[in-house]
Amino acid sequence: MEPEILEKSYDPKKIEEKWYEIWEKKGYFEPTYDKDKPKFSIVIPPPNVTGALHIGHALNNTIQDVLVRYKRMDGYDVLWVPGTDHAGIATQNVVEKEIAKEGLTRYDLGREKFLERVWKWKAQYGSRIINQLKKLGASCSWSYERFTMDEGLSRAVREVFVRLWEEGLIYKGDYIINWCPRCQTALADLEVEFESVAGKLWYIRYPLEDGSGYITVATTRPETMLGDTAVAVHPEDERYSNLIGKKIKLPLIGRIIPVIADKVVDPEFGTGAVKVTPAHDFADFEIAKRHKLPFVKVIDEKGKMTDEAGSYTGLDRFEARKKVIEDLKSQGFLEKEEDYQLVLGHCYRCNTVIEPLLSKQWFVSTKPLAQPAISAVEYGFIKFIPENWVNLYFDWMKNIRDWCISRQIWWGHRIPVWYCNSCGETIVSKEDEVKECPNCGSKELKRDEDVLDTWFSSALWPFSTLGWPEKTEALSTFYPTSVLVTSFDIIFFWVARMIMMGIHFMGQVPFKNVYIHALVRDEKGQKMSKSRGNVIDPLEMIKKYGTDALRFTLVALAAQGRDIKLSEARIEGFKHFINKIWNAGRFVLMNLKDYLPEEKELDTEKLPLFSRWILSELQKTIKITREKLEEFEFDQAAMQIYHFFWDKFCDWYLEVSKIYLKHSEYRRNTQKVLLEVFKNSLKLLHPFIPFITEEIWQYLPEKETEHIIVAKYPVFEKKFVDEECEKLVNILQELVVGIRSVKAEYNLTSKMNLNIIFKSTDKKILDFVESQKEVIKFLAKISDIDLKSEYKKRKGEVSVVSSEGEIFINLADLIDIEKEVKRLEKEKEKIEKKLVQIEKKLKNKNFLERAPKEVVEKEKNNYKEFKERLDKIVHYLLELK
């Protein structure tokens, strides 16, 4: 049957949506539970329900899809669990902004009505990012899609909370926490973003109660002095040894406080004496516990001063700072102020300066959970790729603090705790509603107002999404999952917590491998941000260049442990590769019009040289691609196929096949080779670029499956590897490239009658080149090639040395040699000047130390390129003179 021919040019818009719908309709994304198939499972890092697809999502999900499609083609039963995260603070903020347009606050609506509005918003916009993932080609198992607040996951959250409570690993207590006065909620340590800012260091004199003098303390937050309950010095600081145990009268307030000694005090900071404000500083909180100091809270949840702040009550914390400084000055307590660079914590959602506050919160006691999670990585049950991320993981896990899990917002998993108004009983329950006190039978119950940290439900994601606490088939089949693909910034937020929870509740690690992908930066290596105007929108790139071009670019640049420098030009560049595949497909199909499919395997002994060579190169490509995919070296896998397809198949074999196809003895076998190599190339490429490969697959005259998505991934077959053949082809390629380089240098066209002399002292080589004359003449576009065992270069000839001989080309009748010498000398002079300039730069210490790394690198590359060009010119000038 004559194959259909592809359209002249590839238009991704016409085919991408069509193929995604077909794949989904056919159920290709869903697991089969075939007991004979090995299992591969992966859970998507759930994007926020508020989110839109950004370039980081595009990279993360492309990598996951490459793995999933590869494993599916390789005979695995694959489950890729998709879903979204309810993103507590983020989603609540979005809806609060919406209702603010109506002149309302959440308090105006009340909890129930406000939550109705959030669910309504989620129903309207929550599927946006899911649809965008489909546009990216993500072949998720959509029938398993989950949401962190769906009924099943909510049940799992309650189950975990209650079990941890019963085990004594969840408690409620007074603790110093990060508080956001804008979002009105506690933040976990990891939700605080730190920034270095220019501030002040104020030196304040604290008078001794007995009137014998004063002690000077330095602080960056003078308003908090109103809550001081001690002044601390280092026990070995001789300056203050006589003051330890004495009393101080706190300026502005008059509270009598002690001078204490504690080893945590840094004698080098300020004066070596520090104020202790237990209710508003993490380190001071710990000091107060050790020394049994009182806790005085002077700033409230709205960032205003409390009644404990005396005359400053009701002032905003920053207004109070100004007033405190004025009063300290006027009363003679302010010794001096200095400029000081300090690190300030900000809320990761709204960027408000956080306030450390003493508050009653719910906590998970993490140390007992952390140890098994540390051991799991130490003993290799979980492998981090690249390995260097292990150190960061250990560093955090070995210094872990209890996890504050309560949030003072409304959107999220409400803490499953009720308080009995009649008998004071605390009821912790797995049920969604508790109507009666189990202790006294009273129905006067009040539920805890707080919700759980978003990351609490996310920590259960690998097993809760598979149906836990029920013993489901999905859970027993696909847990633990095979790999987690994520970014480094959530190793603590998410990865570590999943490991802790997975081991604790499942008795097994949640995944065997953690692949940490790079950060996508702009072409200069800068972080992408709206303010810089350097953001690359993946949806825009898809619209402009097609999904496959974007996907291939991201994967080809995703080297382990190195950030990606992305530019639109890179995506456009790989779009040319997509077009190359299409055009190669057109060529192959046009030459298969009279092809007759046959069961018989290729007999390599009957194949001409380049056919044996391309089959050998294909096998090497299959082997290396598979190895690199298994090792998570995605960039190397992608580029291996890229170079094989473009540099070997297109640039060499397709050209040579034009000769073979004209020979009746080779035609049929050449068609078979073209089809086999092209078909296997499409299969190798499918995980990376699924749409174009599926479209072309439909036109192939001989294929084992209806759709490439379920075709068998190519397997290495050693019998086709022919190293001798590769060496021979390399000799011919050297010859052709040598001739082409001379032609390009001297602008010699194919119309010129060009005769080449090839000299070699090896008769076998001469016989071999003789046998391949037709191929050399065709590829190098020359009239003839004369073979010599002895030959001396003549005037007007240029030569190119190859590994097996020397090529001579007579230019005397083809170009004006004198004119050419002048041209080359002029270019030589220019390049020498350039090299002197670059050399000067590269020897300049200031340039090397101060210039951006990429600028220095660029100059080094320029130097190398100019040097290579200069060497060539010098060679040509010697030849022509």
Side-chain angles (χ1 to χ4, degrees):
M1 189 184 82
E2 188 176 299
E4 290 179 71
I5 301 302
L6 297 168
E7 285 184 25
K8 199 169 182 184
S9 59
Y10 175 59
D11 182 0
K13 291 185 188 79
K14 282 184 180 177
I15 67 128
E16 289 180 356
E17 207 169 304
K18 170 187 82 174
W19 282 120
Y20 199 91
E21 280 176 15
I22 290 168
W23 292 331
E24 206 175 349
K25 199 175 173 184
K26 289 269 187 183
Y28 291 145
F29 302 163
E30 302 302 317
T32 62
Y33 291 92
D34 182 336
K35 287 183 169 57
D36 295 328
K37 284 185 170 186
K39 304 293 178 270
F40 182 85
S41 57
I42 192 166
V43 290
I44 201 169
N48 287 355
V49 74
T50 55
L53 192 79
H54 58 62
I55 202 72
H57 289 133
L59 171 67
N60 180 287
N61 288 284
T62 297
I63 288 170
Q64 289 180 83
D65 197 46
V66 168
L67 280 169
V68 161
R69 286 177 185 269
Y70 161 59
K71 290 292 182 182
R72 194 183 288 125
M73 291 175 78
D74 205 28
Y76 283 73
D77 190 15
V78 173
L79 172 67
W80 182 10
V81 179
T84 48
D85 192 285
H86 66 278
I89 295 173
T91 308
Q92 180 158 312
N93 279 347
V94 168
V95 179
E96 283 194 81
K97 281 175 187 170
E98 286 287 310
I99 62 169
K101 291 172 190 171
E102 302 163 33
L104 297 168
T105 68
R106 62 177 159 130
Y107 302 104
D108 295 328
L109 291 178
R111 189 169 194 141
E112 203 175 315
K113 291 280 183 200
F114 177 75
L115 289 177
E116 279 176 22
R117 287 291 295 264
V118 184
W119 279 108
K120 189 179 168 189
W121 183 92
K122 191 259 173 191
Q124 197 173 346
Y125 299 106
S127 60
R128 177 177 58 179
I129 197 156
I130 293 296
N131 294 329
Q132 290 168 347
L133 286 172
K134 290 182 177 184
K135 204 162 183 56
L136 189 68
S139 59
C140 300
S141 311
W142 293 111
S143 67
Y144 287 80
E145 185 185 339
R146 304 305 298 264
F147 174 56
T148 49
M149 276 178 64
D150 68 27
E151 199 177 320
L153 268 67
S154 296
R155 187 190 160 197
V157 164
R158 293 194 299 274
E159 181 79 26
V160 165
F161 187 97
V162 173
R163 286 202 205 174
L164 290 173
W165 165 265
E166 287 169 352
E167 291 168 31
L169 294 174
I170 277 184
Y171 65 91
K172 193 175 190 180
D174 283 323
Y175 205 78
I176 189 108
I177 47 104
N178 303 295
W179 180 266
C180 175
R182 154 67 186 80
C183 296
Q184 287 286 288
T185 188
L187 299 174
D189 294 347
L190 297 171
E191 292 169 323
V192 179
E193 290 180 347
F194 291 96
E195 190 186 332
S196 181
V197 295
K200 296 279 185 189
L201 190 62
W202 286 275
Y203 289 78
I204 306 166
R205 290 175 177 169
Y206 282 30
L208 293 165
E209 188 192 17
D210 61 12
S212 62
Y214 58 84
I215 187 167
T216 302
V217 302
T219 180
T220 58
R221 302 172 67 218
E223 71 282 7
T224 63
M225 68 166 288
L226 307 171
D228 286 359
T229 57
V231 166
V233 296
H234 194 279
E236 290 165 20
D237 192 334
E238 290 176 8
R239 291 173 294 176
Y240 302 112
S241 57
N242 63 322
L243 296 178
I244 295 166
K246 288 205 169 194
K247 301 287 184 192
I248 278 169
K249 191 174 182 183
L250 188 64
L252 309 182
I253 291 287
R255 186 183 306 122
I256 304 300
I257 61 174
V259 178
I260 61 170
D262 197 290
K263 283 183 177 176
V264 298
V265 177
D266 177 7
E268 300 298 313
F269 175 76
T271 62
V274 295
K275 54 196 272 320
V276 180
T277 321
H280 299 284
D281 184 276
F282 288 96
D284 294 359
F285 176 81
E286 297 299 335
I287 291 172
K289 280 205 299 185
R290 283 195 292 276
H291 295 269
K292 296 184 172 52
L293 298 173
F295 293 79
V296 179
K297 188 172 173 180
V298 292
I299 301 171
D300 69 12
E301 284 72 12
K302 290 182 178 174
K304 296 193 180 296
M305 306 309 286
T306 68
D307 291 345
E308 293 278 10
S311 63
Y312 306 94
T313 301
L315 287 178
D316 171 79
R317 55 187 169 152
F318 297 118
E319 283 301 312
R321 179 179 295 178
K322 288 177 193 169
K323 187 81 173 67
V324 164
I325 293 164
E326 279 173 25
D327 291 349
L328 288 169
K329 270 183 189 170
S330 65
Q331 294 178 37
F333 293 117
L334 190 67
E335 191 172 285
K336 62 175 177 175
E337 64 178 58
E338 292 175 348
D339 289 336
Y340 187 75
Q341 202 68 20
L342 67 148
V343 177
L344 268 189
H346 294 78
C347 172
Y348 79 116
R349 282 292 167 207
C350 68
N351 208 37
T352 301
V353 175
I354 62 107
E355 193 62 52
L357 282 189
L358 189 67
S359 174
K360 255 196 181 6
Q361 298 289 340
W362 288 94
F363 291 87
V364 173
S365 182
T366 46
K367 277 196 165 49
L369 299 171
Q371 194 46 58
I374 291 167
S375 299
V377 176
E378 279 177 337
Y379 289 105
F381 293 107
I382 296 173
K383 187 181 169 195
F384 275 80
I385 304 116
E387 208 177 355
N388 58 297
W389 291 111
V390 167
N391 299 329
L392 197 67
Y393 172 80
F394 284 147
D395 187 51
W396 188 70
M397 291 296 273
K398 287 172 183 178
N399 297 289
I400 199 166
R401 292 194 344 176
D402 284 357
W403 173 16
C404 175
I405 54 167
S406 44
R407 297 290 179 272
Q408 289 66 46
I409 56 173
W410 291 350
W411 173 245
H413 293 281
R414 199 157 173 188
I415 287 175
V417 173
W418 289 258
Y419 307 101
C420 178
N421 291 336
S422 302
C423 70
E425 180 76 5
T426 296
I427 304 133
V428 178
S429 175
K430 294 175 187 176
E431 301 307 315
D432 197 24
E433 282 300 326
V434 174
K435 300 219 163 93
E436 191 177 288
C437 174
N439 186 48
C440 71
S442 170
K443 292 187 177 164
E444 293 292 310
L445 304 179
K446 181 177 167 54
R447 189 166 185 179
D448 196 297
E449 293 285 330
D450 292 352
V451 300
L452 288 163
D453 175 11
T454 298
W455 296 101
F456 190 89
S457 51
S458 303
L460 322 180
W461 189 249
F463 56 92
S464 63
T465 52
L466 300 176
W468 187 91
E470 297 296 324
K471 289 177 179 172
T472 63
E473 188 183 8
L475 193 63
S476 61
T477 307
F478 291 106
Y479 188 93
T481 62
S482 310
V483 62
L484 177 77
V485 177
T486 189
S487 57
F488 73 91
D489 53 342
I490 52 174
I491 289 175
F492 316 131
F493 276 119
W494 193 43
V495 181
R497 289 165 177 171
M498 280 192 288
I499 296 171
M500 289 192 285
M501 294 298 192
I503 293 170
H504 193 74
F505 289 98
M506 293 296 297
Q508 281 179 291
V509 295
F511 26 73
K512 295 156 197 164
N513 295 293
V514 180
Y515 175 77
I516 306 291
H517 63 70
L519 189 69
V520 186
R521 297 181 177 273
D522 73 5
E523 60 191 313
K524 293 174 183 169
Q526 295 178 318
K527 196 172 179 181
M528 288 188 189
S529 67
K530 285 178 184 174
S531 59
R532 279 199 183 108
N534 62 350
V535 172
I536 292 175
D537 181 352
L539 298 167
E540 279 299 311
M541 295 301 102
I542 286 171
K543 204 186 289 182
K544 209 166 175 182
Y545 303 107
T547 301
D548 288 331
L550 174 69
R551 284 173 62 117
F552 199 85
T553 308
L554 290 170
V555 179
L557 299 176
Q560 279 187 20
R562 200 168 67 231
D563 286 346
I564 290 171
K565 289 181 183 176
L566 186 67
S567 65
E568 190 173 333
R570 284 269 176 97
I571 301 164
E572 190 180 2
F574 281 113
K575 174 68 164 75
H576 297 318
F577 177 54
I578 305 299
N579 291 339
K580 189 83 173 172
I581 296 164
W582 187 262
N583 293 334
R586 276 174 57 79
F587 174 85
V588 171
L589 291 166
M590 279 192 283
N591 284 288
L592 294 178
K593 287 180 181 179
D594 58 342
Y595 176 70
L596 296 168
E598 56 178 335
E599 292 294 314
K600 205 167 66 174
E601 199 179 74
L602 277 166
D603 182 356
T604 52
E605 285 181 19
K606 291 180 181 176
L607 296 177
L609 179 69
F610 270 86
S611 289
R612 297 200 307 277
W613 169 76
I614 199 67
L615 289 171
S616 184
E617 289 289 350
L618 172 66
Q619 290 310 314
K620 280 180 10 187
T621 301
I622 291 168
K623 186 174 185 286
I624 295 168
T625 302
R626 279 179 160 274
E627 285 169 1
K628 295 303 172 189
L629 284 171
E630 293 294 339
E631 291 161 8
F632 303 97
E633 300 271 10
F634 299 105
D635 60 319
Q636 291 183 40
M639 292 314 288
Q640 184 68 30
I641 315 167
Y642 174 92
H643 288 302
F644 166 76
F645 192 85
W646 192 310
D647 303 346
K648 291 168 184 172
F649 183 63
C650 293
D651 285 359
W652 291 95
Y653 189 70
L654 291 191
E655 291 304 307
V656 175
S657 73
K658 291 171 186 175
I659 302 170
Y660 293 166
L661 288 163
K662 288 174 186 171
H663 287 261
S664 56
E665 62 179 305
Y666 294 150
R667 182 171 177 82
R668 197 161 174 193
N669 271 340
T670 303
Q671 287 177 320
K672 179 85 172 165
V673 171
L674 277 171
L675 181 57
E676 280 304 304
V677 176
F678 186 60
K679 185 166 68 172
N680 278 291
S681 297
L682 291 178
K683 289 198 279 187
L684 285 171
L685 284 162
H686 177 76
F688 303 91
I689 46 174
F691 295 108
I692 189 172
T693 49
E694 187 66 87
E695 179 69 12
I696 298 172
W697 184 260
Q698 302 310 308
Y699 291 82
L700 299 185
E702 193 177 40
K703 51 186 183 280
E704 67 269 25
T705 55
E706 184 187 358
H707 296 113
I708 195 171
I709 188 174
V710 286
K712 191 181 177 189
Y713 204 72
V715 176
F716 174 67
E717 292 181 85
K718 197 175 181 182
K719 64 183 176 185
F720 288 109
V721 175
D722 188 337
E723 287 177 5
E724 187 55 36
C725 173
E726 287 174 25
K727 283 177 193 168
L728 293 172
V729 167
N730 191 48
I731 292 166
L732 296 183
Q733 287 174 327
E734 257 196 292
L735 266 171
V736 172
V737 169
I739 297 164
R740 284 174 178 173
S741 67
V742 173
K743 285 178 73 178
E745 183 62 44
Y746 299 107
N747 206 16
L748 307 177
T749 67
S750 301
K751 290 174 185 173
M752 292 174 173
N753 188 22
L754 198 62
N755 294 310
I756 306 295
I757 292 164
F758 176 69
K759 182 186 88 169
S760 176
T761 52
D762 189 331
K763 189 177 183 303
K764 281 183 186 174
I765 295 294
L766 290 174
D767 291 345
F768 166 65
V769 173
E770 177 67 42
S771 72
Q772 299 296 321
K773 257 188 177 184
E774 187 185 5
V775 169
I776 297 165
K777 281 157 62 177
F778 178 76
L779 292 174
K781 303 285 184 283
I782 56 172
S783 307
D784 202 4
I785 181 163
D786 197 7
L787 307 176
K788 306 275 185 187
S789 58
E790 285 182 21
Y791 186 78
K792 282 189 178 175
K793 185 174 168 289
R794 297 172 188 176
K795 196 175 178 190
E797 283 183 342
V798 289
S799 68
V800 178
V801 177
S802 74
S803 58
E804 299 295 339
E806 197 170 357
I807 305 157
F808 299 91
I809 303 172
N810 191 341
L811 301 177
D813 302 327
L814 301 170
I815 61 165
D816 183 333
I817 289 177
E818 203 177 312
K819 196 177 171 186
E820 192 57 36
V821 166
K822 279 180 184 171
R823 179 187 74 81
L824 288 169
E825 280 178 336
K826 202 175 177 184
E827 191 183 347
K828 178 175 174 272
E829 200 180 317
K830 264 188 187 175
I831 289 174
E832 282 170 341
K833 279 180 184 172
K834 283 271 185 196
L835 284 169
V836 168
Q837 287 169 0
I838 298 171
E839 219 169 87
K840 202 175 174 185
K841 267 188 185 178
L842 294 175
K843 281 178 181 175
N844 185 329
K845 202 179 171 188
N846 279 343
F847 172 74
L848 294 173
E849 286 173 3
R850 292 179 185 178
K853 197 180 172 185
E854 60 270 18
V855 173
V856 175
E857 212 50 50
K858 195 179 175 187
E859 288 296 346
K860 284 179 180 176
N861 288 335
N862 286 345
Y863 186 84
K864 191 184 168 196
E865 282 169 24
F866 282 130
K867 190 80 178 66
E868 283 169 5
R869 178 65 188 148
L870 183 66
D871 292 345
K872 256 188 184 179
I873 291 169
V874 169
H875 170 76
Y876 288 134
L877 283 169
L878 285 169
E879 296 272 302
L880 292 173
K881 286 177 181 178

